Each structure stands twice: as structure tokens, then as C-alpha cells.
Amino acid sequence: MNQQTRIVKTGRKYDQVLQGARDVFMADGFEGASVDDIARKAGVSKATLYSYFPDKRLLFREVVRTECERQACEADELVETTCGPETVLYDTAHRIIAIILSDFSLQMFRICVAESERFPELGQEFYESGPMVLKRGLQEYLEDATARGELKIDDVSLAADQFAELCKAGWLLEAIFMHQREFSDAERHRYAQGAVDTFLARYRA
């Protein structure tokens, strides 16, 4: 990020601005969100908001980055373990499913797709702040598991992508296009276990 777009992260009202923006973007989308509404929701003046974020796109990107990194770090903690692949991958799959099914992730996905022609950097920021962070953590685990002889993987980058896609099989399109948000624990278990079983059938040492 260059000097012009560097975000000032000081001041007691910074978190208020982010939370207010998050609520408004979630409710109204990127185009529908006004600076006036964000300032009102955050309980700050427009001058205060602009002192942190001189551009609405920067504010949106920071909301996405902050939330995605929080979610990705939570999932990343799951792969920092000495448990066997079955346990680690199942817990990771379960967390990936929970992250994607969150209201935030689904709404941000729709916003980024809707704005992709005008502001392609929004989608890039979403990908780099969320899915890419999770992929790096998963790659590191797969590399370590391969080194320990638990898995046999030649291309860990491809394998990480494959696992993430397996976790989405059977429900993602319903969640996006049919707005189905509720999946039972039994359904989530089925999707997670299916991803693990399929992945290990290919890569177990």
C-alpha cells in the first residue's frame, strides 16, 4: 500500500468507524452505502471519518481485510497442531464451512462480484485478506505433514486449493444463489467428512 492510501490506525474512534462501516456495507452493499450513513452509524462526524479514510473504497477494503484476517487467523490456529491429518483436516474443513457460511462472507462475496467491473481491486483485497491467508496456513501444514511422512503431496499449493474446494462441495451454490444460511450440524459434518475422506484417499502416504 503506497503513501497516499496508507490508513491511519490511531485514535479511539477507529474501531467505531470500522464497526459502523461494516454494519452499513452489510445492509446496503458498497454502492448503496453513504458516507453520511456510515458516520451516523459509527457515532462520529464526517470529518473524523475522513481523517481515517479519505475514500470509501479504502474504508471498504479495511473492513474486509480486518474481518477476513480475523477469520483466517482463527482457522489458521487449527492447522498449528501435532494431531493426525484426519483430525486437523476435519477441524479445518469444519471451520472453512463456518467461515464461508457467515453472513459477512456471503455478503462480501456478493458485493465484490457486483462491483468487480468498476472496482476489481475490491475482489482482490477480499481474496488476499481471506482465502489467500487461509491457503498459506494450510500449505504450511501440508508441507509439514508431508515431511513427517503422513501425507504424500508433490504440489502443496494445488492440494491446498483442492481441499478448500472439496469443503465447498454440495452447499456453496445453494448458500449463494438460494440464500440458504441454515445447515444442520449433521449436514456440516457430512460436508466436512466428505472433503477429508476424498482428500486423504488421494494424498494419504
Side-chain angles (χ1 to χ4, degrees):
M1 188 174 289
N2 59 35
Q3 185 66 33
Q4 285 74 24
T5 59
R6 184 173 297 131
I7 295 169
V8 179
K9 298 181 182 178
T10 59
R12 63 184 179 84
K13 299 201 174 184
Y14 175 78
D15 289 339
Q16 287 179 233
V17 171
L18 278 188
Q19 184 60 50
R22 184 187 190 280
D23 293 343
V24 174
F25 285 134
M26 287 283 290
D28 301 333
F30 178 81
E31 181 62 23
S34 72
V35 173
D36 287 333
D37 288 342
I38 293 172
R40 189 179 306 111
K41 188 71 174 180
V44 300
S45 67
K46 287 176 65 175
T48 297
L49 189 152
Y50 281 126
S51 72
Y52 290 116
F53 301 98
D55 185 285
K56 188 170 76 168
R57 281 180 293 178
L58 292 180
L59 178 53
F60 178 82
R61 291 171 64 183
E62 187 67 2
V63 168
V64 170
R65 186 196 65 77
T66 301
E67 181 68 14
C68 284
E69 286 190 354
R70 182 190 67 79
Q71 293 182 340
C73 286
E74 288 181 5
D76 196 38
E77 292 174 359
L78 295 172
V79 300
E80 295 178 0
T81 179
T82 58
C83 296
E86 293 89 347
T87 300
V88 175
L89 292 174
Y90 177 82
D91 289 345
T92 301
H94 208 277
R95 185 57 188 159
I96 288 174
I97 292 169
I99 288 174
I100 298 175
L101 278 176
S102 70
D103 289 342
F104 177 86
S105 293
L106 290 175
Q107 182 67 352
M108 289 303 107
F109 177 82
R110 295 188 183 101
I111 291 173
C112 289
V113 171
E115 302 292 339
S116 61
E117 289 295 327
R118 291 187 301 164
F119 306 124
E121 68 272 16
L122 298 181
Q124 180 180 352
E125 187 74 16
F126 179 77
Y127 178 76
E128 291 179 352
S129 298
M132 195 61 196
V133 173
L134 176 59
K135 178 183 176 179
R136 284 196 296 267
L138 184 55
Q139 278 185 227
E140 291 178 7
Y141 168 74
L142 296 179
E143 289 172 353
D144 292 342
T146 298
R148 291 192 298 267
E150 297 170 345
L151 300 174
K152 185 178 181 181
I153 303 175
D154 294 324
D155 188 337
V156 293
S157 177
L158 176 61
D161 286 333
Q162 290 171 333
F163 184 73
E165 292 305 311
L166 286 171
C167 293
K168 304 170 189 175
W171 59 267
L172 181 61
L173 294 182
E174 292 183 16
I176 291 175
F177 296 115
M178 298 177 65
H179 292 260
Q180 180 176 348
R181 303 290 179 86
E182 298 300 324
F183 292 87
S184 67
D185 290 343
E187 288 176 308
R188 295 186 185 214
H189 167 74
R190 175 171 170 258
Y191 300 138
Q193 193 63 58
V196 173
D197 291 344
T198 303
F199 188 82
L200 290 180
R202 170 65 179 85
Y203 290 115
R204 191 192 297 272

